[in-house]
Amino acid sequence: MRVIVCNDYDEMSKRAAKIVASQITLKPNCVLGLATGSTPIGLYDNLAEMNKLGEIDFSDVTTFNLDEYYPINLDNDQSYHYFMNEHLFTRVNIDINSTHLPNGQTDDPETECENYEKMINDAGGIDLQILGIGQNGHIGFNEPDNNLNTVTHLTGLTQSTIEANSRFFEKKEDVPTRALTMGIASILKSRKIVLLASGRTKYKVVSELLNEGINTSVPATMLKVHPDVVLICDKEAYASMYLGVDIGGTSIKFGVVDGFNNIVYKDSLPTQKDKPARAIIDNIAKACKDITSRFPVTAVGVGTPGIIDFAKKTVTAANLPFDNTPIFDWLKESINLPVYINNDANCAALGEAVAGEGAGEKDMLMITLGTGIGGGIIIDKKIYMGAKGDAGEIGHMCIETNGKPCSCGNRGCWEKYASVSALIEQTEEAVLKNPNSILANVIAKNHVVDGKTVFEAKQKGCTVADAVFEQYIEYLAVGIRNIINIFRPGAVVIAGGISEAGQALLDPLVKKVDSSVPIKISRLQNDAGIIGAALLGEKNR
Ligand code: PGA
């Protein structure tokens, strides 16, 4: 089965319409098998439009529909006769006598089914069959059962189908409980089959279809024996999952992320950074193999600290034993799936841009305040990499010429003033000068200075802490104003431990930056890195 994943319902409908149009162009007197339900409506809209524009001609086309409720009057607006007239037959130049549906008004369903099957055969069989898929895996009204009927037959509908179809009726009791439907063999006799699936409600069944073997409890799996089936679905219905790995100094986090950017499974391992690089990577590969054997994962994305040399495919990270380490090749040796790598701050930015605070914006900048300042630039929902893949080092923009020396070799880098390490340094300097302050008492009580100390002392009314904080916010704001001026993103998102301070950090910062660009606190926090790494596995990221 070939699978085409489209961005949305419209694209899916257009792709399907092109296939039907090609069929009609190649064989103007072809026999089409048609389906009802909400899924093919867009396809029929496209066909009607193409017919109106003179691109396709239905005058010699014959059609057979898959099914019809039983019993039902043909003029009932819920009958499939009515549906087909409304959505296609009255909108194109087809001869209505060449269109066929099982007769839901018949007194003799058995003969009706026999005749219907014979008519299909007499017409030379179906050239191209369009199918939808029920949430329970039915095609036509071939419901899950121990035995599937091969030819056109009268069948009962399962509770789940009645439930799903009740959305078209006033009351659930109005949904017919039986139907006349082509059988599995009637469908499989078609020369070509296009199966359509759209939307979240089809996600589970598409996953079953793609990942399970042939079985009668998901009747659509029968299509796997047919040599020419194409599944055209939109992203919402496509069940790909990606594994995201976020390598940190203390722990390595793993998450299986579904097509809706939800983490459906999470795990973590201690990094053990005193071990050699090979041992760390082997641990990661082992965990990846275990997880990918349990979930339908199609790619693995890894976020790593440090500098990635994309040409040589190596990583060098200061706080891990990675020194031109071929992480990429080592992982690929044992993971039998595509593997993608990017910088951890970039991954976090991508995760937040797609599934967090940046979800509504095309462009977003993420600033991770930690030991240094990590940056991720997202343009058009993609990581901006620069010419060599190392763009986004916003922590190293200079905000003070001849300022403090930085490990990068320059002076006055932003992270020397606005990272959490810088805030801690500023707090310590203030305490040395003001040993009797509330700030000093807080430190004495907690036995530690960290990113939270200033906030705690401020809450207790400490004016020394107020001054430290005011200065820190000034540094932070200067950098944010700079990057806003360069990029004018849809949003700037702040992440890292200090962002847990929430409004106590955000309100004064927003005031100080004084820009129309919204500044927000990361919604996904630690999960941003996992989701972003997993998203590397998606095409075009
Ligand atoms: P739907 O139905 O297109 O309305 O989702 C498909 C089906 O039940 O086959």
Side-chain angles (χ1 to χ4, degrees):
M1 183 177 304
R2 201 157 73 83
V3 183
I4 299 176
V5 184
C6 300
N7 282 318
D8 53 26
Y9 178 78
D10 284 348
E11 193 186 327
M12 178 200 77
S13 304
K14 282 199 177 74
R15 292 291 282 261
K18 272 190 190 158
I19 295 177
V20 177
S22 306
Q23 174 66 63
I24 297 174
T25 306
L26 286 172
K27 188 178 173 192
N29 63 345
C30 63
V31 179
L32 299 179
L34 300 178
T36 49
S38 48
T39 313
I41 291 175
L43 158 66
Y44 297 150
D45 288 344
N46 277 281
L47 291 177
E49 185 61 22
M50 290 163 112
N51 184 242
K52 197 169 120 197
L53 295 172
E55 291 169 9
I56 42 171
D57 176 11
F58 279 84
S59 58
D60 282 336
V61 172
T62 300
T63 67
F64 286 92
N65 264 78
L66 280 167
D67 46 17
E68 175 61 283
Y69 287 122
Y70 184 80
I72 198 159
N73 285 333
L74 303 190
D75 54 2
N76 183 321
D77 63 4
Q78 290 307 327
S79 78
Y80 289 167
H81 273 83
Y82 191 97
F83 176 101
M84 289 309 300
N85 283 334
E86 177 173 304
H87 290 289
L88 188 67
F89 298 156
T90 55
R91 302 168 72 194
V92 295
N93 68 331
I94 198 162
D95 177 356
I96 200 71
N97 296 316
S98 303
T99 68
H100 307 87
L101 286 98
N103 179 4
Q105 295 191 160
T106 181
D107 295 334
D108 182 359
E110 208 169 301
T111 310
E112 170 65 20
C113 291
E114 262 173 45
N115 287 344
Y116 198 71
E117 191 77 24
K118 185 167 176 308
M119 273 198 293
I120 298 174
N121 291 335
D122 290 350
I126 290 168
D127 291 301
L128 173 63
Q129 174 70 54
I130 304 296
L131 294 177
I133 184 168
Q135 288 170 42
N136 63 1
H138 73 204
I139 44 175
F141 274 128
N142 293 282
E143 302 281 51
D145 204 345
N146 288 338
N147 291 303
L148 296 183
N149 236 302
T150 53
V151 293
T152 305
H153 61 284
L154 175 64
T155 186
L157 306 187
T158 58
Q159 210 44 46
S160 100
T161 297
I162 292 171
E163 203 76 55
N165 289 10
S166 65
R167 68 191 197 276
F168 301 115
F169 292 81
E170 246 173 52
K171 301 194 292 286
K172 200 169 119 193
E173 299 73 57
D174 295 342
V175 186
T177 55
R178 289 185 296 167
L180 305 169
T181 180
M182 283 187 200
I184 290 292
S186 335
I187 294 170
L188 289 176
K189 270 194 285 181
S190 316
R191 285 180 268 281
K192 183 174 186 64
I193 296 174
V194 171
L195 174 63
L196 301 177
S198 164
R200 205 178 178 127
T201 56
K202 300 295 167 69
Y203 173 78
K204 190 166 163 284
V205 73
V206 169
S207 160
E208 286 166 355
L209 170 64
L210 296 178
N211 296 302
E212 284 183 16
I214 296 168
N215 69 92
T216 60
S217 54
V218 183
T221 57
M222 298 292 152
L223 297 172
K224 292 186 172 187
V225 301
H226 193 285
D228 194 356
V229 180
V230 54
L231 164 65
I232 310 181
C233 56
D234 58 17
K235 269 193 183 160
E236 290 213 315
Y238 186 62
S240 247
M241 291 189 181
Y242 307 97
L243 172 58
V245 183
D246 187 10
I247 305 179
T250 324
S251 70
I252 299 163
K253 301 185 199 75
F254 299 84
V256 176
V257 176
D258 70 11
F260 307 106
N261 308 316
N262 298 315
I263 300 181
V264 295
Y265 172 81
K266 229 185 206 182
D267 204 352
S268 75
L269 286 177
T271 307
Q272 297 180 291
K273 63 181 177 187
D274 45 329
K275 292 228 166 118
R278 182 82 216 205
I280 296 175
I281 300 303
D282 283 351
N283 267 343
I284 295 176
K286 198 158 152 271
C288 288
K289 272 175 78 175
D290 170 50
I291 296 169
T292 55
S293 70
R294 288 185 283 137
F295 293 89
V297 166
T298 53
V300 179
V302 181
T304 173
I307 308 283
I308 303 171
D309 185 326
F310 283 92
K312 293 199 213 128
K313 297 189 170 168
T314 57
V315 177
T316 301
N319 63 347
L320 288 171
F322 296 168
D323 183 9
N324 286 309
T325 303
I327 290 187
F328 191 85
D329 289 338
W330 287 351
L331 286 174
K332 287 217 68 144
E333 275 170 24
S334 40
I335 302 173
N336 207 8
L337 286 170
V339 178
Y340 302 89
I341 295 192
N342 212 308
N343 171 271
D344 55 356
N346 282 345
C347 290
L350 180 62
E352 193 73 36
V354 172
E357 283 298 336
E361 311 293 342
K362 259 167 66 206
D363 308 325
M364 191 206 85
L365 268 151
M366 176 113 138
I367 299 164
T368 307
L369 303 173
T371 316
I373 296 184
I377 303 163
I378 303 295
I379 298 179
D380 259 344
K381 294 276 183 228
K382 288 184 190 141
I383 298 169
Y384 174 71
M385 302 289 292
K388 295 207 170 137
D390 51 1
E393 288 297 335
I394 53 179
H396 293 282
M397 75 181 148
C398 177
I399 61 158
E400 198 87 75
T401 50
N402 290 323
K404 295 184 182 188
C406 180
S407 57
C408 72
N410 293 326
R411 282 180 170 272
C413 292
W414 189 31
E415 68 176 34
K416 298 308 289 180
Y417 299 85
S419 61
V420 176
S421 314
L423 174 61
I424 291 170
E425 206 179 291
Q426 290 150 19
T427 308
E428 282 167 339
E429 280 167 11
V431 167
L432 282 180
K433 284 190 208 139
N434 303 278
N436 298 321
S437 59
I438 298 174
L439 187 62
N441 285 340
V442 169
I443 295 168
K445 178 179 76 73
N446 294 347
H447 307 292
V448 68
V449 188
D450 59 21
K452 295 186 192 125
T453 312
V454 160
F455 292 94
E456 192 179 331
K458 258 172 74 60
Q459 258 193 342
K460 295 195 156 103
C462 176
T463 51
V464 175
D466 283 343
V468 172
F469 183 71
E470 175 71 14
Q471 176 65 73
Y472 174 75
I473 287 292
E474 178 66 49
Y475 287 135
L476 194 53
V478 163
I480 292 177
R481 270 200 298 268
N482 284 343
I483 54 175
I484 284 180
N485 283 333
I486 299 168
F487 293 101
R488 301 269 355 143
V492 172
V493 179
I494 315 274
I498 196 171
S499 64
E500 282 167 24
Q503 295 310 120
L505 172 78
L506 197 57
D507 291 345
L509 181 63
V510 167
K511 209 160 151 225
K512 188 69 87 181
V513 174
D514 190 21
S515 163
S516 59
V517 174
I519 301 171
K520 301 172 174 189
I521 299 278
S522 162
R523 192 193 309 162
L524 301 177
Q525 293 290 346
N526 286 334
D527 287 348
I530 298 175
I531 294 175
L535 285 170
L536 297 175
E538 252 197 359
K539 264 197 310 193
N540 303 325
R541 296 271 180 211

